[in-house]
Every structure is written in structure tokens, then in C-alpha cells.
Amino acid sequence: MYLQSLEIIGFKSFASKTVLNFHRAVTVIVGPNGCGKSNVLDAIRWVLGEQSAKALRGGEMADVIFSGTDSRPALGMAEVSMTFGDCEKDLGVAWNEVTITRRVFRDGQGEYLLNKTPCRLRDINQLFMDTGVGRSAYSIMEQGKIDQILSSRPEDRRAIFEEAAGITKFKSQRKEALRKLEATEANLLRLTDVVREVKRQIGSLQRQAAKARRYQALLADVRVLDTPQQPSYL
């Protein structure tokens, strides 16, 4: 699997539609200060699901949308699409190419797409889990990240090693299974309470039904006894 292309529209300094094609031999992007190299990395991090505006060097998520210049008006939407090639084996899918897209509007609304089909961020995270691709995975090492890793807690470094070892997906599935088991146990406990209450109500209803049947029998006897006897003539 390799990064094939990155399409950016209205994201930060990329007002016009910009397509960056990455061939297998591409190993680095160079350019002068202020040309947008950092914005390319921010676009990659953002399309992979980054939720922190601070991590994208902004105050709020709407700051990623092109804010306009003296010669160009501000835009109302930002969109980034990232395409991976030869990914059937690594991602376990039937597609040779996978494109993930993220859009955000100035009113705060946003959406994710997987091969032009609306999806959830969770679907994208699960798709790229254990591949090293992700907003916080080891494939993105910005300036200062190495020092941060070396000085971080052992638990934080362990997450990176687990991602590289390919066991993050299994741990995530185990965590999800345990969460479902806990929810099922809570539902069973609630069901037990409901059954106990229903049984109590059934017992009360059975006693009331027995009293009603006895009342009906006694009422029938009273009606028979109250019926006047016809005189008999010999």
C-alpha cells in the first residue's frame, strides 16, 4: 500500500483545487518557507480524523477553511481527499484503490466519505488500524514528535509499539467486546428485575382472579335461592 494522491480544496492556503500525486519514488517534499508544506501535513492529519483544532494550528475547526485574501473571497467549505493504491492486502478490502474524504462547512457541519460513500470516522479508523496510518499513528512524525515520544510515559510509547506490531485492532475489538458484554449484563440485570416484578403482578392477578371466580359462583347461588318457587297444584 502506498499514498497515491492528495486532493485539497479550500483547506487553509489551498483556495483552488490542488492535486498532489505521489509516485512510489517520492520520498520528500521540499520548498521555501511559507509555500504550504506544513499545510499538506495538516491536510493529511485532518482527513484522517484529527478533531483538535489546536493540533492543526488553529483556534477552531472552521479555521481550516480558506479565509480569503484581498484578491480572493473566503470559501464556505474545505475538502480533502486522500487516495491509497495497492491496498487490497493491507486493508483487507476488495478495492485496489481506497479514497477517504472529509468535508467541513462554516456552519460546523461536516462529513466523511469512503470511496465517495458517506461513512463514520469510526469506519475510517477501523479500516486503517494496525497499518501505521492515522492522525496519531507513527506514520506522522512532525517536528518535535521524536523528543515527545522519548520523553513520554512508557504507556504512551507502548501504544506506538502496539500499532507497529499490528495488535491495536485486536485490542480494540477486545475492548469493544467487553463493552458489549457489560451492556448485556446490565440488560440481563434489568430483565431480571422486570421478570421479578411481572411475577409479583401475576401472583396478585391470580389471587384477584380466584376471588372473582368465587364471587361469580356465590352470585349464581344467590340468584338461584332468590328465585321464587312456583306453587304446585295437585
Side-chain angles (χ1 to χ4, degrees), residues 62-112:
D63 291 341
V64 304
I65 304 175
F66 179 71
S67 57
T69 63
D70 294 338
S71 58
R72 301 196 63 165
L75 300 180
M77 181 197 74
E79 176 182 317
V80 176
S81 297
M82 187 161 57
T83 301
F84 294 89
D86 296 343
C87 50
E88 303 102 315
K89 180 179 178 181
D90 295 286
L91 298 182
V93 296
W95 310 303
N96 179 260
E97 294 182 0
V98 168
T99 300
I100 58 174
T101 303
R102 183 179 182 182
R103 298 190 186 114
V104 67
F105 302 88
R106 286 204 178 274
D107 61 1
Q109 298 296 320
E111 60 182 348
Y112 294 89

Side-chain angles (χ1 to χ4, degrees), residues 83-196:
T83 301
F84 294 89
D86 296 343
C87 50
E88 303 102 315
K89 180 179 178 181
D90 295 286
L91 298 182
V93 296
W95 310 303
N96 179 260
E97 294 182 0
V98 168
T99 300
I100 58 174
T101 303
R102 183 179 182 182
R103 298 190 186 114
V104 67
F105 302 88
R106 286 204 178 274
D107 61 1
Q109 298 296 320
E111 60 182 348
Y112 294 89
L113 297 96
L114 178 60
N115 282 356
K116 299 183 179 181
T117 301
C119 67
R120 303 169 300 174
L121 174 58
R122 179 179 179 182
D123 299 326
I124 295 177
N125 290 337
Q126 290 182 345
L127 180 66
F128 289 101
M129 197 171 290
D130 288 339
T131 63
V133 178
R135 58 186 174 85
S136 58
Y138 60 84
S139 60
I140 300 179
M141 290 289 179
E142 68 270 20
Q143 186 176 3
K145 184 67 175 291
I146 299 298
D147 292 337
Q148 181 181 351
I149 293 175
L150 294 177
S151 60
S152 62
R153 299 178 304 168
E155 294 83 1
D156 298 332
R157 291 196 297 269
R158 180 179 179 178
I160 298 176
F161 298 145
E162 289 177 348
E163 177 78 15
I167 63 175
T168 302
K169 180 179 293 186
F170 300 106
K171 292 191 67 175
S172 176
Q173 292 174 348
R174 177 177 179 272
K175 184 178 180 180
E176 181 67 15
L178 290 175
R179 187 189 64 80
K180 290 182 179 180
L181 285 174
E182 291 177 356
T184 301
E185 290 178 355
N187 291 335
L188 287 174
L189 182 61
R190 175 58 181 162
L191 181 60
T192 302
D193 295 338
V194 172
V195 170
R196 185 182 298 112

